[in-house]
Amino acid sequence: MSLVTTEQEILASMEAAFVNGSRSHLKTIDSLPGEFDEETVREMISEAPALYILFLGGKRRTENKLAIESQWAAYAVTSHAGSNKTRRHGDGREIGSYEVLERALPA
C-alpha cells in the first residue's frame, strides 16, 4: 500500500471515529507536512478542536526492500479558554485532548 493510500485511510478512520450522527466532535481532521513552523501551529490552534496526523518515516523491511514499517504521530489540538486541565479533560461544550486520543488510537 502506498503512503498516500495509507494516509488517506488513516484520515478516513479518524473521521469515522469522531462522527456522532451527522456531527463531528472535531472541527478539523487533517495531515501535516514533515516540517512545520510557528505559522502552522497558529493555524492548527485556530482550527481546534482538531486532530492532525504526521508521517514520521519508517524502517525498511528486511523481507521486501520496497516496503517500510511506517510510523505516524497524532496531534490532538484543543483550545479551551479554561485551564490546562480543561484542555486535556474537556468540558460540556468541547472535547478534550485526552478524549481525542482515546478515540483516535483504537481507530
Side-chain angles (χ1 to χ4, degrees):
M1 179 182 313
S2 74
L3 289 172
V4 170
T5 302
T6 301
E7 180 180 89
Q8 290 170 339
E9 288 189 12
I10 290 171
L11 290 172
S13 66
M14 296 299 114
E15 289 171 5
F18 289 95
V19 172
N20 184 9
S22 62
R23 179 181 163 294
S24 177
H25 290 278
L26 299 179
K27 185 175 177 184
T28 302
I29 297 174
D30 205 353
S31 59
L32 292 172
E35 295 181 19
F36 53 96
D37 56 17
E38 190 174 320
E39 180 61 29
T40 306
V41 173
R42 273 194 210 99
E43 289 175 23
M44 291 166 63
I45 292 169
S46 73
E47 292 296 315
L51 176 68
Y52 295 93
I53 62 160
L54 171 65
F55 173 64
L56 298 176
K59 292 167 54 173
R60 186 171 29 179
R61 297 177 68 169
T62 55
E63 71 278 1
N64 181 350
K65 294 187 182 206
L66 298 177
I68 64 170
E69 294 289 334
S70 61
Q71 295 182 354
W72 300 80
Y75 291 89
V77 181
T78 58
S79 64
H80 295 81
S83 66
N84 283 328
K85 184 176 181 180
T86 306
R87 280 189 286 281
R88 291 189 317 272
H89 296 201
D91 58 23
R93 295 176 306 215
E94 191 175 300
I95 192 170
S97 60
Y98 286 176
E99 188 178 351
V100 171
L101 292 175
E102 287 170 355
R103 288 180 182 216
L105 294 176

